[in-house]
Amino acid sequence: MSNATLDQRKGRGRMRSDLCTVPIDGERRAARVVIDEVSGRFSRVTETVWQQLLHEQTEDTALWEQAHAANWTRQRSTSHENRFSLLAIRIPLGDVSRIAKGLVGLSGILFSPIAILFWSLVIVLAGVLALSRSAEWVATLRLMPLYLKTTSPWLISGTVVATKLVHELSHATMCERMGANSKSIGLFLFCGLPCPYCDVTDVWRLPSAARRAAVMLAGIYVELIIASLATLVWCISTDAATRLYAMNLMIVCGISTVLFNANPLMRYDGYFVLTDWLGSTNLRREAGEAFRRSIVAPVAGRGYGPTRHWGLRTIGLSVYHLASACYRVMVMVAIAVFAINIAAVFQMRFLGVFLVAIAAASWLVQRGQLMMGILQGRGPWSSVTWHRRGSIAACILGLILAILLIPTPRYRQATGWVDAAETTSIFLPAGSQVQLVETEFGHAVRQGDVMARLSDQSEHLERSRLSGELHLAKMRSDFARRDSLDRPEVAQQWTTLSAAEHAVASLLENAEQRLDRTQVRASESGIVLPGSVKLGIAKSRLTPWLAQTAGMVAHWPQPWCRICPNGRRHAVFLIDAQDLPWVTEGTNIRIRVESDSHRPSAKSNVETRIESISSIQPDDQSVTREAIYQVLCPLPEVEPGEMLDSVGTPCTGVVRLPSRAIGAELIQWIGEWVHGQS
């Protein structure tokens, strides 16, 4: 071990004699990394504290508790942090160092100084492009449920695993470039969801803080490069499937990476960077200790232990502890819901709920053990009086009951689109061919104006047939008339043939009149709009123009176009059928209308009511095919010339539901699940 010094402390000292330490560059004060070769754990401590512990020159209880929790003392710790948890399981798969060493020679295209500058500019450019086209980005995002439904689950899962594997290999490669050794690679099961991981704890042997940060941020950096390239593909591509796949990569490698890996509230890359920057031995433990010393100790009284003086670091660590705890709970709930929905897609909802229930039970057992420790006076609560412990436990229980039983406001958000409120549909006769288009979307027409001219093949064939029959009837009639001059007995035949000729001529005249009527005329005055608008078609520009229908044979059941006589509009939303008791006609709704335009006036917030609702039907765009119903909400009128720009615009509606307790929601959810399994 280069740069490592083995502290040869023999005898009966408190500290273990097999611990190795490496001096590192502390920005504010000298520091060391303590290496436990047995467990493979690395911890950071200041040089002053290490010397005090090593030579037993301090009787600070807090320092010895931290040393004991880190397993630096001869008496091993049995803290809950070292216990097995069903919420977080690591499964090693093998050594990754050989692969990482092989990638070092190729990694210059990503990790050389010039490459880092180049890719950083690409990341910034992609971020600016995504922000500048946020409205279109949101509109494409609404198609993701349909994409997830129609795309192979193996492709989606493979994409996630592949990108995360690249993330972990980036850590290992950068670790080798910086002079440290990468170790094992494996799977990390967080709440049952698999994700690759790579052990690069040897990075703590590096004396440079910049090198340690480079290793810890390498995965985020590479994933942001992938997300940036996907953003550029999304911007220039015109194929819908390609854009949706690029959007998937943008979410997996961009948003999720920032929210999880870069977020210091969980023990991922951002957490370790912040820990190193703050010079903390264990940020989560130190934050918890600061919270207990500054918040819990004054409440528990003198028997709990000494209180900690308030300072900027203490306040920051206490706030971090609360934020981290709340965030972990939110993430676990979100992952549980996501896991159940994904399991439902694979027709394994019962298995998803079963795994989530096990994880939740494990978490509740751990919380229950902490509560019993307070009531029984274990650990730091041993010197706290029983009535104070009981009061604190009662307050905690009361807070939990209040959270579960006190009604809280509920809101439902739905996505939809803007459409004209009153329209007249124009249909084309089945089998007719559009020969000439006289108008276009957005044009104003008057009642009776010609909008298109049709060419009906069947009528043309009928006219040709009748023309031939009329020509033949005329020839027969002429021959019979000539014969009747010499033979009077043929006069009756000539009369019959002449009548047949007139009948065919009458049929041909009717066919000509029908062909003359193959003109599509406006049934009323107004603005020409697309025949239909659906969720996901953000603007009418995504609908083919009427001129593009020239030469096509009409066989579609939907309208060829619509005519809007006024500027009345409404918003169309798809609502989950389970909200039908609350979201009905007359319910207040707040609507935000988006737009692709950069004009601030193009976006608006509207307070309105639900005007009408449809019957319940299955949602074809939902991953889980849940039942939905459609609601219409009136919007302010616009000028006729602005109607085309308004139709198809995405909008978001928010409805406030009656207040309800979280406990009631949980009971209803469990009841629905039990009913669904029975």
Side-chain angles (χ1 to χ4, degrees), residues 291-292 295-297 299-301 303-304 321 365-400:
F291 179 80
R292 287 187 292 270
I295 305 297
V296 178
V299 175
Y304 185 82
H321 175 77
V365 167
Q366 292 180 3
R367 302 307 103 183
Q369 290 176 347
L370 293 178
M371 182 66 69
M372 291 302 298
I374 296 176
L375 290 175
Q376 296 176 0
R378 295 198 296 260
W381 297 91
S382 59
S383 300
V384 180
T385 59
W386 66 268
H387 60 273
R388 185 178 286 269
R389 297 198 308 269
S391 300
I392 294 174
C395 290
I396 296 175
L397 181 61
L399 179 61
I400 296 174

Side-chain angles (χ1 to χ4, degrees), residues 27 50 63 73 83 86 101 147 151 214 259 261 369 386 406 434 456 476 497 554 560 591 630 668:
E27 291 80 1
W50 173 251
L63 288 181
T73 59
R83 297 177 184 175
L86 292 175
K101 287 182 173 64
Y147 167 78
T151 306
L259 292 179
N261 294 97
Q369 290 176 347
W386 66 268
I406 294 179
V434 181
D456 197 315
R476 289 176 177 177
L497 292 175
W560 181 61
I591 300 175
Q630 185 172 283
Q668 179 184 359

Side-chain angles (χ1 to χ4, degrees), residues 540-582:
S540 57
R541 62 177 173 80
L542 299 179
T543 304
W545 294 106
L546 286 177
Q548 295 177 347
T549 63
M552 296 182 179
V553 177
H555 60 272
W556 50 84
Q558 63 267 26
W560 181 61
C561 68
R562 296 178 299 164
I563 299 177
C564 176
N566 50 46
R568 293 192 58 192
R569 307 176 302 161
H570 59 208
V572 184
F573 294 107
L574 301 178
I575 308 295
D576 196 319
Q578 68 177 356
D579 295 328
L580 184 59
W582 303 285

Side-chain angles (χ1 to χ4, degrees), residues 361-566:
S362 175
W363 184 83
L364 290 174
V365 167
Q366 292 180 3
R367 302 307 103 183
Q369 290 176 347
L370 293 178
M371 182 66 69
M372 291 302 298
I374 296 176
L375 290 175
Q376 296 176 0
R378 295 198 296 260
W381 297 91
S382 59
S383 300
V384 180
T385 59
W386 66 268
H387 60 273
R388 185 178 286 269
R389 297 198 308 269
S391 300
I392 294 174
C395 290
I396 296 175
L397 181 61
L399 179 61
I400 296 174
L401 292 177
I403 294 174
L404 293 176
L405 301 180
I406 294 179
T408 56
R410 297 184 301 154
Y411 297 89
R412 287 293 186 271
Q413 179 173 309
T415 56
W417 63 95
V418 177
D419 201 359
E422 297 178 359
T423 59
T424 300
S425 298
I426 304 296
F427 292 89
L428 300 181
S432 62
Q433 185 179 27
V434 181
Q435 186 174 16
L436 181 65
V437 177
E438 301 283 354
T439 187
E440 193 50 83
F441 292 142
H443 290 182
V445 296
R446 293 187 178 183
Q447 186 175 4
D449 287 352
V450 177
M451 302 179 66
R453 300 182 187 274
L454 305 178
S455 177
D456 197 315
Q457 296 296 332
S458 61
E459 292 294 342
H460 279 289
L461 292 174
E462 180 68 11
R463 183 180 64 176
S464 299
R465 184 184 67 81
L466 291 174
S467 296
E469 290 184 1
L470 179 60
H471 181 69
L472 180 61
K474 284 183 177 181
M475 292 178 60
R476 289 176 177 177
S477 178
D478 288 341
F479 288 145
R481 181 176 58 79
R482 293 172 185 173
D483 289 346
S484 65
L485 296 177
D486 299 330
R487 301 187 313 177
E489 66 275 11
V490 184
Q492 183 63 34
Q493 183 181 2
W494 171 65
T495 303
T496 303
L497 292 175
S498 179
E501 177 186 351
H502 288 298
V504 174
S506 178
L507 292 175
L508 180 60
E509 183 180 359
N510 291 335
E512 294 285 355
Q513 291 177 355
R514 288 196 300 272
L515 282 175
D516 290 338
R517 289 197 298 268
T518 55
Q519 297 178 347
V520 180
R521 297 182 180 273
S523 56
E524 63 178 330
S525 301
I527 303 298
V528 181
L529 299 177
S532 62
V533 180
K534 297 180 180 180
L535 182 63
I537 302 179
K539 297 297 294 179
S540 57
R541 62 177 173 80
L542 299 179
T543 304
W545 294 106
L546 286 177
Q548 295 177 347
T549 63
M552 296 182 179
V553 177
H555 60 272
W556 50 84
Q558 63 267 26
W560 181 61
C561 68
R562 296 178 299 164
I563 299 177
C564 176
N566 50 46

Side-chain angles (χ1 to χ4, degrees), residues 569-601:
R569 307 176 302 161
H570 59 208
V572 184
F573 294 107
L574 301 178
I575 308 295
D576 196 319
Q578 68 177 356
D579 295 328
L580 184 59
W582 303 285
V583 184
T584 59
E585 292 184 9
T587 302
N588 293 328
I589 183 171
R590 183 177 181 86
I591 300 175
R592 176 176 174 80
V593 180
E594 303 291 342
S595 175
D596 287 339
S597 173
H598 297 290
R599 295 181 293 107
S601 59

